[in-house]
Amino acid sequence: MPPSPRTTAAATLLVAALAACAAPSDHARSAAPRTEAAAPPDRAAAPPGLPGMPPVLDPADIYAADRPGKLAAAVKDFPSRVYVPNTNSNTVSVIDPATYKVIETIPVGNQPQHVVPSWDLKTLWVNNDLGDSLTAIDPATGRTGRTLDVSDPYNLYFTPNGKYAVVMASMDRELVFRDPHTMKTAKTLPVDCAGVNHADFSADGRYFIVSCEFSGDLLKVDTEKMKVVGQQKLPQQGAMPQDVKLSPDGSTFYIADMMSHGVWVLDGKAFTAPKLLPTGKGAHGLYVSRDSREMYITNRGEGSVSVFDFAADRLTKKWHLPGGGSPDMGGVSADGKVLWLSGRYNAEVYAIDTRNGKELARIPVGSGPHGLAVYPQPGRYSLGHTGVFR
């Protein structure tokens, strides 16, 4: 049977993304964003938080619940593991971080992209993108459970109140709001951009910023209304935005861009044109340290990690992997001492000491390792992706 049009399109765009050499977009670029309404004039006049969202612990630090070892009761007895989705092998490699060894290889669906902790922290969802399914893993036992039919689940997020799962349906050009347990569709939101892939939520949970990698767009989405309220093209030809992360004080969004080789700095509230902070070739993943002082930025195209100091508002260090590599997606260990990253083009995983950038281990896994999840991690609830906790 010939492949479906969506599968063919997905395969074509996948090759372009994995080669990290996507051609510049043919669309006209403009730094002027489209917005539905002006932002409130000041922070004091902003509306209250998203209904049902757990109260922010510290308004000055949205990651206050993510301190070393501060595990929620729901996860405190889970074994510490690193779950690695291998997109080309259709498997998940399970690493014991104490020994730096693969202890199990789990068969899953076609082209697993990310392993995503659920909002309630009890389930890990494997995003089988071309398999059009989500496979559940029980992090208490490591066993697979349900596999649910879900169209084009490239990535997966959860609203801060836990009401909806949000599927980043990249090839379908949709954001799909679903029940977070059954994954039944609540609302499908078509988008006018190509390649929705990553996101992060504002401090009050009222909106989230989405990156569109194949058209170089950013979206601003009203969480409660489930509606796009702003859209803009990034002000650089050929931009290819990836991971999105909010600053600890909630004032700034950072968007990694693998073709602009840096991080865009965005005022999400005003949603004005962002400015580019160059970091390194193929900037891709963004991870906040356990003390909320630094952000680790993976530069996939040059085998390095840049370190950004939030208080100083500048890059302070760059760590190069010995012999090179392709650091992509990952997460920080529960104690904050190790940064775990997939080596997308090298069939390996890197363990990096967060104190000095030293490579602690390089572990062979399947082909095309991508959105690995370090689990469990501190935090009260998960916003999805490879583990964004608050």
Side-chain angles (χ1 to χ4, degrees), residues 56 58-66 201 203 246-250 389-390:
V56 175
D58 180 357
D61 184 3
I62 62 169
Y63 304 111
D66 300 354
F201 291 81
L246 184 62
S247 63
D249 66 3
F389 301 95
R390 294 188 187 171

Side-chain angles (χ1 to χ4, degrees), residues 5 7 31 44 58 70 82 127 135 180 188 193 199 256 263 271 273 275-276 282 291 310 353 378:
T7 302
D58 180 357
K70 197 173 182 179
V82 178
N127 298 185
T135 297
T188 298
C193 70
V263 173
F271 203 59
K275 295 182 179 180
L276 183 66
D291 59 10
F310 288 111
D353 191 320

Side-chain angles (χ1 to χ4, degrees), residues 287-306:
Y287 308 96
V288 177
S289 64
R290 287 272 168 253
D291 59 10
S292 301
R293 294 179 180 178
E294 296 178 322
M295 179 169 63
Y296 310 118
I297 304 162
T298 63
N299 302 308
R300 192 174 75 182
E302 66 178 36
S304 74
V305 176
S306 295

Side-chain angles (χ1 to χ4, degrees), residues 62-63 66 117 121 374-375 377-379 381-383 386-390:
I62 62 169
Y63 304 111
D66 300 354
L121 310 176
V374 179
Y375 212 68
Q377 290 189 46
Y381 59 94
S382 165
L383 292 177
T386 60
V388 180
F389 301 95
R390 294 188 187 171

Side-chain angles (χ1 to χ4, degrees), residues 4-62:
S4 68
R6 190 180 68 73
T7 302
T8 302
T12 302
L13 288 175
L14 172 68
V15 170
L18 291 181
C21 59
S25 170
D26 292 329
H27 298 294
R29 303 264 169 180
S30 173
R34 303 200 306 269
T35 57
E36 184 179 76
D42 56 64
R43 187 177 295 271
L50 181 71
M53 186 183 87
V56 175
L57 291 181
D58 180 357
D61 184 3
I62 62 169

Side-chain angles (χ1 to χ4, degrees), residues 21-337:
C21 59
S25 170
D26 292 329
H27 298 294
R29 303 264 169 180
S30 173
R34 303 200 306 269
T35 57
E36 184 179 76
D42 56 64
R43 187 177 295 271
L50 181 71
M53 186 183 87
V56 175
L57 291 181
D58 180 357
D61 184 3
I62 62 169
Y63 304 111
D66 300 354
R67 293 294 179 260
K70 197 173 182 179
L71 298 176
V75 306
K76 66 181 180 63
D77 295 325
F78 291 171
S80 180
R81 299 288 184 262
V82 178
Y83 299 85
V84 188
N86 303 303
T87 58
N88 302 328
S89 300
N90 300 330
T91 60
V92 172
S93 298
V94 183
I95 297 172
D96 182 346
T99 62
Y100 300 117
K101 294 185 181 300
V102 174
I103 59 173
E104 187 177 5
T105 301
I106 304 172
V108 290
N110 190 7
Q111 200 184 93
Q113 294 284 3
H114 302 90
V115 175
V116 179
S118 63
W119 185 89
D120 63 10
L121 310 176
K122 297 178 180 179
T123 304
L124 296 173
W125 291 105
V126 183
N127 298 185
N128 305 310
D129 190 21
L130 293 188
D132 290 325
S133 66
L134 297 174
T135 297
I137 294 178
D138 182 347
T141 64
R143 299 191 185 115
T144 56
R146 302 172 293 162
T147 292
L148 304 179
D149 293 335
V150 172
S151 180
D152 190 21
Y154 177 79
N155 209 344
L156 179 66
Y157 289 84
F158 297 91
T159 58
N161 57 6
K163 187 174 182 180
Y164 298 111
V166 185
V167 171
M168 298 286 148
S170 178
M171 298 299 103
D172 290 344
R173 293 195 178 205
E174 296 171 343
L175 301 180
V176 186
F177 292 78
R178 295 176 175 269
D179 181 282
H181 305 289
T182 66
M183 295 297 165
K184 290 184 178 179
T185 300
K187 180 177 180 178
T188 298
L189 176 62
V191 295
D192 184 23
C193 70
V196 288
N197 62 353
H198 298 93
D200 201 2
F201 291 81
S202 62
D204 63 7
R206 286 281 179 176
Y207 69 89
F208 56 103
I209 301 297
V210 178
S211 60
C212 303
E213 65 174 320
F214 297 124
S215 59
D217 288 271
L218 299 180
L219 306 179
K220 183 176 182 178
V221 182
D222 185 299
T223 308
E224 194 169 19
K225 294 179 180 178
M226 296 179 281
K227 180 179 181 180
V228 175
V229 295
Q231 181 168 348
Q232 64 172 293
K233 292 279 186 187
L234 286 168
Q236 183 154 315
Q237 184 72 19
M240 199 171 186
Q242 304 295 316
D243 204 3
V244 182
K245 195 67 80 258
L246 184 62
S247 63
D249 66 3
S251 67
T252 306
F253 285 86
Y254 299 91
I255 303 101
D257 188 328
M258 63 186 288
M259 296 306 287
S260 299
H261 310 308
V263 173
W264 294 100
V265 182
L266 172 75
D267 180 334
K269 184 179 177 182
F271 203 59
T272 46
K275 295 182 179 180
L276 183 66
L277 172 69
T279 62
K281 186 177 180 182
H284 205 81
L286 306 173
Y287 308 96
V288 177
S289 64
R290 287 272 168 253
D291 59 10
S292 301
R293 294 179 180 178
E294 296 178 322
M295 179 169 63
Y296 310 118
I297 304 162
T298 63
N299 302 308
R300 192 174 75 182
E302 66 178 36
S304 74
V305 176
S306 295
V307 182
F308 179 80
D309 185 300
F310 288 111
D313 192 29
R314 63 184 178 87
L315 299 172
T316 56
K317 292 169 274 193
K318 181 178 279 193
W319 302 328
H320 291 271
L321 292 170
S326 50
D328 193 286
M329 291 288 172
V332 180
S333 62
D335 61 10
K337 295 180 180 180

